[in-house]
Amino acid sequence: MRWLFLVVGAAVLAVVAAVVIVLPRSSGQPTVGAAEKSAPTPSSTAPTPQVSAFTDPCGTFDTQEKAPYAVTGYWITPKSNPCTWRKQLQEIHRVGGDTIIRIGYGLQYRTVTDDGEVLTKEHEVDSLYEACEEDGLSCHDAAERDLRKANPKNRIGRMYVYRTDESFGPDLFRCPEMEHAVEVGKRIYYRLITQADGSDDATCDFTDKAQSYDMILVAGSPNDSLGKLLDLGDRFGMRIFPALPLAPRDSKAPTRAEKRHLGTLTTLTRRILQDYGVRFGDRPSLGGVYQPFEVQMSQTLAGNPTLEVYADQHTIVDQELPGKPILISPYLDARKRVAFGQTPQQVAEGFKALAKTGVGIIAPQDSRGTGKVGLFWPDERDVEVDERLRPVVGEATYDTAYHGSTRDYYRAMAEARQEMLDAGYQVQLWANVEAFEPSGDEPCAPTGTRGKTDKKRLDQAVAMAGRYVQKIVSYMWSDFMTCGRPSLETEIAKDWQRPVAVDAIRRPNGTQDGVEVRGYNLKGGTVTVRWSGETGETTDQMEVAAVGWLDEHPVEADLPEGMETAWVPFDWSKISAGEWVRIGVRLPSGQETTEPLHVRKLS
């Protein structure tokens, strides 16, 4: 008999409950038998916190985990107050976070006045760069003066600006005779002179041939925010992913990078990563770098110029920060009623195109927070969408609104990832579960209408994606995890021990039939299996004659942090072909999975 189980959800009219106690794994555990586990591969571990607590001018901070949850990484936004960062990292670490992804800034093309003053997009003098002066000249005019001293026909053809709260060392500069820092009050500016094609002339010869150069004026800070974040990462045992410069957007198609600026972006990226490599290359807390330019996961991605950004930056990272990956977080759109909605198969093709650029981590947004994808099981296609999704898709069934569910998309991407691994591309698939709703009575962000979600919905998102990914992260901590009463952070702290099941399959152990469940917080739990009987509503409770087992630390490759595996005996012959069953986990405390797995026996 062929067995195949699909995880699905449906309300069943008649229910039989099979209740099986999960016991800790014993030394006498039966072998897996016909269903062998894959060869174990140790997973990478996060840095270890330096101390259990530390004190600085911001106060005393505890570095212990208090309520570890399935989500282990969060985006944060730049803050001017360093004490805010310390507080955020402590809060994140308390709920099991070991990864910080930082929102960054963009490179911008600008025009200048006749006096070399940088203009905003509204054609007004930009106050951020107005203060940058040398010898009574604007920094632009001072740079052009120095270029013309080398060759009277040299000039600055294009002007770019980039703001940051970081500071850089001398390795930011390639040609010190033309490039240097300018300190003005509480600001430090970095003057870079570059080739338009993205190359760097190693000779620094500005005299031989007259050229038109690009100038990048970086507005930085004397207090290096990245250095402080990495110090905190060392303290808390966390990995930090600072943002790379965001590419200028195409004015006619803002979802794409503007090709004519890519050379300058490449140079700025190279310079910054050269500086990072010298100052931070050996820091364990530097987990990699984040490329913040978002693209939609689609079948047509291969022709998007933004992928040139990813590929160029991957090459630079390999050179300057070997072993550190680029992380990107594209978005999904499963809506049927928009022309650009994509099927799971089309998204899988997009994943392959992204992997071919050499990025090391693809963390697709699950897009539930924006309403572009729904959390539903296959037999819920005819169910009305969650009312919180109606501002985006209207009153509709899931089947009318979406090409597929979150689980369908992550499954397709996991299959695409395996194909790319087989082809030699080393890439991880993470899930970026959005910790917000499309709208709310009390908006959580400073702009827009996005509102607070709850832990039950977040558990549901974890259950849908967790089977197929190597790590679960969330956009974002600032605002979305901390707004409302109670905040999502508070809900997690109170309810973190609740089990979350992400997968269930039939798995014999030797001659004994059974079910294997994967998820979080399974220790000491009871696995429940519910189904409808052929004779109507019936209830069957089975006491376990043989013990099950629990593996709290599976060594198989590609499992997220905190994932556990439980096995219990179960007689699947009780289930008729084509029937759906619900599988959950309940703890002695009474906490049970809020999102049971739904499995169909096909034959």
Side-chain angles (χ1 to χ4, degrees), residues 46-47 72-78 85-103 226 229-230 232-234 236-243 285-290 327 430 471 473-474 476-478:
T72 54
Y74 295 90
W75 271 257
I76 64 171
T77 55
W85 270 351
R86 284 162 171 76
K87 180 176 181 293
Q88 286 181 339
L89 263 67
Q90 181 185 46
E91 292 169 346
I92 291 169
H93 196 260
R94 280 176 175 172
V95 295
D98 60 20
T99 300
I100 296 294
I101 306 162
R102 224 201 90 157
I103 300 294
L226 179 55
L229 265 181
L230 292 175
L232 287 171
D234 291 334
F236 287 101
M238 304 175 85
R239 293 180 295 170
I240 310 298
F241 285 76
S285 53
L286 181 62
V289 289
Y290 166 53
L327 181 153
W430 292 7
K471 189 179 182 69
V473 294
S474 181
M476 59 184 309
W477 186 267
S478 311

Side-chain angles (χ1 to χ4, degrees), residues 331-333 335 365-373 388-389 391-393 402 434 436-438 450 457:
Y331 65 91
L332 307 177
D333 197 329
R335 291 175 293 172
Q365 303 162 36
D366 73 349
S367 297
R368 168 56 182 80
T370 57
K372 295 174 182 175
V373 186
R388 293 173 291 188
L389 294 171
V392 181
V393 296
Y402 300 110
E434 294 175 338
F436 55 87
E437 294 296 333
R450 293 174 181 174
R457 211 276 284 156

Side-chain angles (χ1 to χ4, degrees), residues 71 139 169 193 295 308 385 421 468 491 496 501 508:
V71 178
C139 283
I193 305 298
V295 294
E308 295 181 33
V385 300
L421 290 176
Y468 301 104
E491 291 185 44
W496 67 273

Side-chain angles (χ1 to χ4, degrees), residues 12-17 530-540 579:
V12 290
L13 298 177
V15 178
V16 175
R530 298 183 175 91
W531 72 98
S532 59
E534 294 180 355
T535 59
E537 184 173 351
T538 57
T539 301
D540 183 17
E579 242 186 299

